């Protein structure tokens, strides 16, 4: 499946804002967007479809928060929606809505690709299906934003050490060299340079390695 970056999500977010603003103006640009909506072969049809996904998600969110007394019915899917029929007040959003939708997209992306990420991990020891379900249950980008792993007032030295252990992208980890250099998969995972007894990984450095400097781990 296609891999997305932060820039892809930012571009989609900016495009959504532009189209929603244009729809709210009710002018010639609005007419152009409605024409694109009715013409799937348009090169901009995907962007209009993304806006409809956002509007449908926002409609569901407001319906849930409003309970059973929501003023307008919720369409079954974005395909049942027509931009021309959407009330003007339903086009408006706030910062919290944008953040929640951004997290929603990231969660969908992670859950969609977690199978491939775990399947290609040479350090996966538990049954594949069990790990996939466990990871999908704990995926929540909103929690990562509200409770970041590294706070803003931390030093660069501290932040660098923490992130090294999170993703293992540091030469202190033998498994990083192993994965990045794309060695033959028949070769065994490199042994830890510190203790020389067990396969290296971030988890090994934190919980198993008897020779690794405890001060670094505490920091």
């Amino acid at each position: 499946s296609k891999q997305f970056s932060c820039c892809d999500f930012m571009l989609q977010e900016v495009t959504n804002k532009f189209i929603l603003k244009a729809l709210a103006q009710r002018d010639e640009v609005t007419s152009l967007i409605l024409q694109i909506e009715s013409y799937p072969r348009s090169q901009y049809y995907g962007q209009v479809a993304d806006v409809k996904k956002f509007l449908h998600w926002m409609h569901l969110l407001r319906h849930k928060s409003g309970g059973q007394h929501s003023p307008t019915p919720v369409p079954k899917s974005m395909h049942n929606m027509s931009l021309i029929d959407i009330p003007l007040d339903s086009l408006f959003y706030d910062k919290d809505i944008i953040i929640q939708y951004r997290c929603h997209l990231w969660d969908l992306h992670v859950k969609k690709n977690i199978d491939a990420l775990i399947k290609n991990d040479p350090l996966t020891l538990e049954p594949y299906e069990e790990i996939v379900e466990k990871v999908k249950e704990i995926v929540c980008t909103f929690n990562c934003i509200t409770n970041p792993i590294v706070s803003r007032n931390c030093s660069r030295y501290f932040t660098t050490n923490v992130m090294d252990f999170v993703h293992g992208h540091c030469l202190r980890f033998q498994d990083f060299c192993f994965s990045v250099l794309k060695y033959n998969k028949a070769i065994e995972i490199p042994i830890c340079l510190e203790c020389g007894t067990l396969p290296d990984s971030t988890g090994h450095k934190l919980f198993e390695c008897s020779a690794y400097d405890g001060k670094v781990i505490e920091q």
Side-chain angles (χ1 to χ4, degrees), residues 76-133:
K76 292 183 179 180
S77 73
M78 69 138 191
H79 301 291
N80 296 66
M81 297 175 61
S82 176
L83 292 177
I84 196 171
D85 297 328
I86 297 177
L88 188 62
D89 58 352
S90 297
L91 299 175
F92 296 102
Y93 54 86
D94 55 28
K95 183 178 179 180
D96 290 337
I97 290 289
I98 291 296
I99 292 176
Q100 289 184 61
Y101 188 65
R102 187 186 304 162
C103 294
H104 169 71
L105 291 180
W106 273 113
D107 288 350
L108 291 178
H109 176 63
V110 172
K111 291 179 180 180
K112 183 178 180 181
N113 291 277
I114 199 66
D115 295 16
L117 292 174
I118 294 177
K119 193 171 184 179
N120 295 330
D121 185 358
L123 299 175
T124 299
L125 300 178
E126 295 185 49
Y128 168 72
E129 293 78 9
E130 293 182 13
I131 296 180
V132 170
E133 291 305 316

Side-chain angles (χ1 to χ4, degrees), residues 181-199:
L181 296 180
K182 306 297 181 185
Y183 285 131
N184 188 323
K185 293 299 181 181
I187 300 176
E188 295 183 359
I189 300 171
I191 298 299
C192 173
L193 291 176
E194 322 301 335
C195 66
T197 58
L198 294 171

Side-chain angles (χ1 to χ4, degrees), residues 5-39:
S5 67
C6 295
C7 292
D8 293 312
F9 285 103
M10 290 174 64
L11 177 60
Q12 181 175 333
E13 187 174 300
V14 171
T15 305
N16 285 351
K17 290 180 179 179
F18 170 79
I19 295 178
L20 289 173
K21 184 176 181 179
L23 289 172
Q25 296 299 319
R26 304 301 195 197
D27 55 14
E28 62 274 7
V29 179
T30 306
S31 300
L32 180 60
I33 293 173
L34 295 177
Q35 291 178 31
I36 294 173
E37 179 191 18
S38 62
Y39 187 64

